[in-house]
Amino acid sequence: MNFSSLILPVLILGVFMHGVFKKVDILDAFAEGARENLVTSAQLLPTLALLMLAVGMFRASGALGAFTSLIAPLFEFLGFPPECLPLALLRPVSGSGALSVLENILSEQGPDSFAGKVASVLMGSTETTFYTVAVYFGATKIKKTRHALASALAGDMTAFLLSAAAVRLFLG
Amino acid sequence: MIGILLFSIIFASVIYSAAAGTAPEVSTAALSAGEEAVSLTLTLAGAMAVWGGVMKIAERSGLTEHLTNILKPILRLIFRGLKKDSPALRAIAMNMSANILGLGNAATPLGIEAMKRLEQEESPGEAASQNMIRLAVMNACSLEIFPATVAVMRSRAGSRAPTEIIPCVIFVSFASLAAALAVAEIFNASGGKK
């Protein structure tokens, strides 16, 4: 057993303890939070179905494999698993797209393979950048977002390069 | 934009499969796409329901409030030039604590609220102020301390240790956030693209 498997149980215990201590109606709070997230997940399905269609067809045709082996030499040089490139490209653009590519990598390469771990780290440490920037400024009268997008994409680029390095360093 | 991208992917798949003789596989994939989407959504829905429930307890017991108060002085170092009792800074801190705890449903409305308050306080006109850019950048970089979705998908794929990636996720999140903020400051110092 390692330290990271303790994170979730301890986190859950801590939250429940604090809740009981502060006399929160645990059942009521839990039910409300669960209901909110169920609605959110259900709303995900239509777009996810479309993305699954595109990604599934692309993989089954063999085009994904051809693309991956084409770019493989360059990315092996950078120490980045080429299987994760589609994820890195799609992540800032589409949340559902990234989910379906991640699902693909996890089932094809295995969740505990190097590519599987790198893909998981990349997914967990980045956001749907274009969408976020659009939504946040969309609520204001701002017309020029200046360097907001460029800076956020620089963050994505960093995450992309670091995810492979971090997995190699911390997970051997 | 997404529409064109998806069209190109499907177009490339069909053309490639015609050339490579993989049309039967592509047909199977097309037929099973919906089922896969439903099964992935169901797995995620179950786990997200549990996680949302736990985090709602944290919200009601005041844990998010604590976190907000801890974050405020740190955020003051990043968001400069705001008044001492700025409502914008408070909204930003609430948005950040929701992000850190993975309360996606709460984070976005709080963030938009913070954005509007920044706009009121700084009245930047049509071009974003540097603080608004900082807020957008911080939200576009994930800060989630526990990436529940990824952990569930790993577990579903049969991982031995679905949560072992968490230290890496936290490290990469912070490093990429720092890089993005640094780039934003460099742009700003050099005059930016006004």
Side-chain angles (χ1 to χ4, degrees):
Chain A
M1 201 193 70
N2 55 5
F3 163 75
S4 52
S5 3
L6 270 173
I7 295 178
L8 185 57
V10 168
L11 199 60
I12 293 177
L13 177 66
V15 168
F16 272 88
M17 259 169 64
H18 197 257
V20 170
F21 180 69
K22 291 280 177 186
K23 301 195 173 57
V24 170
D25 184 342
I26 302 275
L27 182 64
D28 187 62
F30 188 94
E32 191 196 320
R35 194 178 312 116
E36 278 177 16
N37 272 11
L38 275 177
V39 172
T40 313
S41 329
Q43 285 166 345
L44 184 71
L45 182 56
T47 11
L48 195 60
L50 175 57
L51 268 305
M52 280 291 194
L53 177 69
V55 173
M57 284 174 78
F58 195 60
R59 184 191 57 178
S61 71
L64 179 63
F67 174 67
T68 308
S69 38
L70 195 70
I71 50 118
L74 174 66
F75 284 86
E76 267 155 19
F77 173 74
L78 287 172
F80 191 84
E83 295 86 3
C84 296
L85 185 74
L87 178 65
L89 289 176
L90 214 48
R91 184 70 183 110
V93 188
S94 158
S96 309
L99 271 184
S100 41
V101 175
L102 176 65
E103 170 79 355
N104 233 302
I105 297 172
L106 292 180
S107 60
E108 294 274 295
Q109 312 285 326
D112 297 318
S113 66
F114 180 61
K117 285 177 188 168
V118 172
S120 307
V121 173
L122 188 60
M123 183 75 187
S125 56
T126 47
E127 264 291 338
T128 317
T129 303
F130 284 93
Y131 171 80
T132 309
V133 172
V135 165
Y136 274 60
F137 283 109
T140 65
K141 293 186 194 70
I142 299 297
K143 294 220 170 65
K144 293 184 185 112
T145 58
R146 295 169 66 210
H147 46 273
L149 194 59
S151 314
L153 287 175
D156 288 337
M157 200 65 199
T158 313
F160 170 71
L161 292 172
L162 275 183
S163 53
V167 168
R168 208 167 263 130
L169 198 66
F170 297 128
L171 300 174
Chain B
M1 180 185 173
I2 271 283
I4 308 251
L5 182 71
L6 289 174
F7 164 72
S8 320
I9 292 176
I10 291 176
F11 183 78
S13 315
V14 174
I15 299 296
Y16 193 94
S17 72
T22 49
E25 286 88 339
V26 173
S27 307
T28 314
L31 288 171
S32 62
E35 186 202 323
E36 275 173 45
V38 171
S39 108
L40 179 57
T41 308
L42 278 181
T43 314
L44 290 180
M48 293 322 289
V50 168
W51 192 241
V54 171
M55 281 303 138
K56 187 58 85 179
I57 297 175
E59 206 180 315
R60 291 235 187 122
S61 71
L63 266 183
T64 38
E65 190 71 24
H66 277 307
L67 190 56
T68 303
N69 291 331
I70 296 170
L71 286 176
K72 254 173 101 173
I74 305 169
L75 289 169
R76 193 176 281 285
L77 299 175
I78 298 171
F79 293 86
R80 290 186 294 273
L82 292 173
K83 280 173 284 166
K84 196 155 181 1
D85 274 319
S86 161
L89 187 68
R90 171 146 192 89
I92 294 167
M94 286 167 71
N95 165 244
M96 283 303 142
S97 34
N99 272 324
I100 290 173
L101 295 174
L103 295 159
N105 290 320
T108 310
L110 285 170
I112 289 172
E113 169 78 18
M115 203 55 135
K116 285 182 172 161
R117 286 190 186 278
L118 277 178
E119 191 179 29
Q120 272 170 21
E121 280 180 37
E122 304 190 312
S123 39
E126 289 203 334
S129 72
Q130 181 66 7
N131 276 335
M132 293 172 92
I133 291 173
R134 288 173 182 137
L135 180 62
V137 165
M138 288 188 86
N139 275 282
C141 294
S142 165
L143 275 176
E144 211 175 329
I145 211 110
F146 185 78
T149 313
V150 177
V152 173
M153 288 175 70
R154 289 175 57 74
S155 155
R156 174 180 133 110
S159 169
R160 276 180 286 105
T163 56
E164 76 173 349
I165 49 138
I166 289 174
C168 288
V169 168
I170 295 175
F171 169 74
V172 175
S173 294
F174 275 93
S176 59
L177 175 68
L181 282 174
V183 169
E185 298 311 314
I186 294 168
F187 267 120
N188 194 42
S190 64
K193 293 181 289 182
K194 283 230 176 186

